[in-house]
């Protein structure tokens, strides 16, 4: 059998692309910003703050949790979410390494 498309790329390339895909939705950026703004775990306040329906918020939270950017704790009948600071630092470094790549000046290129 042939290789899947992801197998021809490095683990770093696949990880960066996967994270970028999840972060590519403005609702997820808004959710992350709200969690960061709260400076603690956030429990159920996202529907009012972000302005989306609970099932939609839950789906976005699931995607953010799947890549490890947030973690959730069950408190009674609700789940509280906070930023996974270790993963946040790793993602920050991954994007920094990628975006810090030297780009030649016009004079150095065609």
């Amino acid at each position: 059998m042939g290789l899947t498309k992801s197998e021809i790329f490095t683990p770093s390339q696949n990880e960066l692309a996967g994270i970028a895909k999840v972060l590519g939705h403005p609702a997820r950026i808004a959710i992350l910003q709200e969690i960061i703004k709260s400076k603690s775990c956030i429990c159920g306040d996202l529907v009012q703050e972000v302005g989306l329906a609970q099932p939609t918020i839950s789906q976005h939270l699931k995607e953010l949790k799947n890549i490890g950017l947030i973690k959730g704790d069950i408190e009674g009948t609700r789940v509280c979410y906070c930023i996974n600071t270790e993963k946040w630092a790793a993602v920050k470094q991954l994007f920094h390494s990628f975006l810090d790549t030297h780009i030649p000046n016009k004079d150095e290129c065609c």
Side-chain angles (χ1 to χ4, degrees), residues 38-54:
S38 74
K39 298 180 182 172
S40 65
C41 289
I42 194 163
C43 305
D45 301 331
L46 289 169
V47 171
Q48 186 175 0
E49 296 297 328
V50 177
L52 296 172
Q54 181 60 53

Side-chain angles (χ1 to χ4, degrees), residues 44-104:
D45 301 331
L46 289 169
V47 171
Q48 186 175 0
E49 296 297 328
V50 177
L52 296 172
Q54 181 60 53
T56 304
I57 295 284
S58 294
Q59 183 60 39
H60 289 304
L61 288 167
K62 179 182 171 190
E63 294 298 326
L64 292 167
K65 191 172 181 184
N66 284 344
I67 63 167
L69 274 179
I70 61 172
K71 47 188 177 176
D73 293 320
I74 298 171
E75 290 187 9
T77 59
R78 60 187 186 168
V79 180
C80 296
Y81 291 96
C82 62
I83 299 294
N84 179 345
T85 55
E86 290 177 14
K87 182 66 174 188
W88 188 269
V91 168
K92 189 175 175 181
Q93 180 58 42
L94 188 65
F95 274 94
H96 177 74
S97 294
F98 173 66
L99 294 172
D100 201 37
T101 304
H102 173 70
I103 306 296

